[in-house]
Amino acid sequence: IPCMPYRKRNLNITVDKILGVCVMLLLLFYVSRPDDYLLTASHVVIQKLRLLLRSLKGSPIGLKLNENLNNFLLDCFNYHVDLWAKFLDLIEPVVRQLFVPIALLGFTGLSFQLASLPALMSIIGLHAHCFYIYTAVLYKVEIRGIQVLWKVMLGKRYNVLKNRVESYNYVNRQLYLATIFFTSLLFLFPTVLVYYVVFTTLRLCIYLVNLLLQVLRRQILEFPLEILLKWSIGKFYDMGT
């Protein structure tokens, strides 16, 4: 009985390697210039990202964003995209040389090829991941600043030694500055929130695709293939059922 899971696992691994070799042969002999697809996908992602940034300019879907902050963020992100496009043009010869060794990894199985796809997607969408980090940090700073300044306006502060919020008498100068900064952060918050929601959604879509590939890879190795074969030839029986 203990040998049954190992035998079933070996059958799945064998089928996985056969599928990997088939995909490898398809890429090497039946697809002309497969490295062009990867480079084309990289440039398509850059174009779509530029289109997304262009749609955030002005008043997207009727939202009134802060013009100065919006222009600053767009300039930073567009500059980041331009740098990434130049970097892709620089490493294009290297990518063309490395595609054949990567395709030869089909001998290790289809599951290994599927496991390498998230890494390629991370490389292609690296700028999107960076944008998510930038906006997430900016969003957390914005939220934290509003929370702290709101406590100041209410005449309270956080006591680190007693680990509690208590009342505190601020001078007028402190309350005046806190009111100015709180108002500024409050008016900048919708712009930061829009960027955070957009790039968090983009990052979530990439994560869901990677999760789908991970589930597919696990199903290849854990699919009850032996039981299916026995059932198809009419020799399947299970005393427990």
Side-chain angles (χ1 to χ4, degrees):
I1 296 177
C3 296
M4 294 297 294
Y6 295 102
R7 189 174 64 181
K8 182 179 66 175
R9 187 81 171 182
N10 290 334
L11 179 61
N12 287 359
I13 292 176
T14 302
V15 174
D16 178 46
K17 290 184 178 181
I18 294 175
L19 293 176
V21 172
C22 293
V23 173
M24 179 192 66
L25 295 177
L26 179 65
L27 292 176
L28 292 179
F29 297 103
Y30 295 97
V31 179
S32 60
R33 307 295 299 178
D35 47 356
D36 289 340
Y37 291 96
L38 179 61
L39 297 173
T40 302
S42 302
H43 290 290
V44 168
V45 170
I46 291 177
Q47 293 177 359
K48 295 299 182 181
L49 194 56
R50 284 176 175 170
L51 181 62
L52 176 62
L53 293 175
R54 195 178 302 117
S55 64
L56 292 175
K57 189 174 183 180
S59 300
I61 61 174
L63 297 175
K64 184 63 176 178
L65 304 182
N66 185 272
E67 183 178 359
N68 295 326
L69 179 60
N70 192 20
N71 293 333
F72 172 76
L73 293 176
L74 288 176
D75 291 340
C76 291
F77 291 162
N78 283 318
Y79 179 71
H80 197 292
V81 173
D82 293 337
L83 286 179
W84 184 248
K86 294 180 181 178
F87 177 72
L88 286 179
D89 295 335
L90 183 64
I91 66 173
E92 181 176 347
V94 180
V95 174
R96 295 185 183 277
Q97 296 296 328
L98 291 178
F99 187 83
V100 174
I102 293 176
L104 292 177
L105 294 176
F107 287 111
T108 59
L110 179 61
S111 61
F112 192 88
Q113 293 174 330
L114 292 176
S116 63
L117 286 180
L120 294 177
M121 292 182 58
S122 299
I123 294 175
I124 294 175
L126 180 62
H127 39 284
H129 180 67
C130 293
F131 292 166
Y132 163 73
I133 295 177
Y134 301 156
T135 54
V137 172
L138 185 60
Y139 176 78
K140 291 181 180 179
V141 171
E142 183 88 9
I143 292 295
R144 183 58 180 170
I146 291 177
Q147 290 176 348
V148 172
L149 293 175
W150 177 249
K151 292 178 183 178
V152 175
M153 295 179 62
L154 294 178
K156 298 180 180 181
R157 71 170 183 177
Y158 178 73
N159 193 325
V160 181
L161 298 178
K162 297 182 180 181
N163 193 22
R164 67 180 184 182
V165 178
E166 58 186 15
S167 300
Y168 184 79
N169 293 325
Y170 293 96
V171 297
N172 293 332
R173 181 174 63 255
Q174 292 174 328
L175 292 175
Y176 177 74
L177 292 176
T179 303
I180 293 178
F181 286 119
F182 176 80
T183 305
S184 301
L185 291 178
L186 191 61
F187 281 111
L188 295 178
F189 180 73
T191 305
V192 176
L193 180 61
V194 168
Y195 276 85
Y196 177 71
V197 170
V198 169
F199 289 107
T200 301
T201 305
L202 182 61
R203 177 59 181 169
L204 181 61
C205 293
I206 297 176
Y207 174 78
L208 291 178
V209 174
N210 292 337
L211 182 62
L212 179 62
L213 293 175
Q214 183 180 1
V215 172
L216 181 60
R217 178 170 57 89
R218 290 183 176 179
Q219 289 299 321
I220 292 176
L221 297 177
E222 298 177 0
F223 186 77
L225 185 60
E226 183 181 4
I227 297 177
L228 180 62
L229 292 176
K230 289 183 177 181
W231 176 81
S232 61
I233 61 179
K235 292 184 178 182
F236 175 73
Y237 62 91
D238 189 355
M239 299 300 296
T241 59

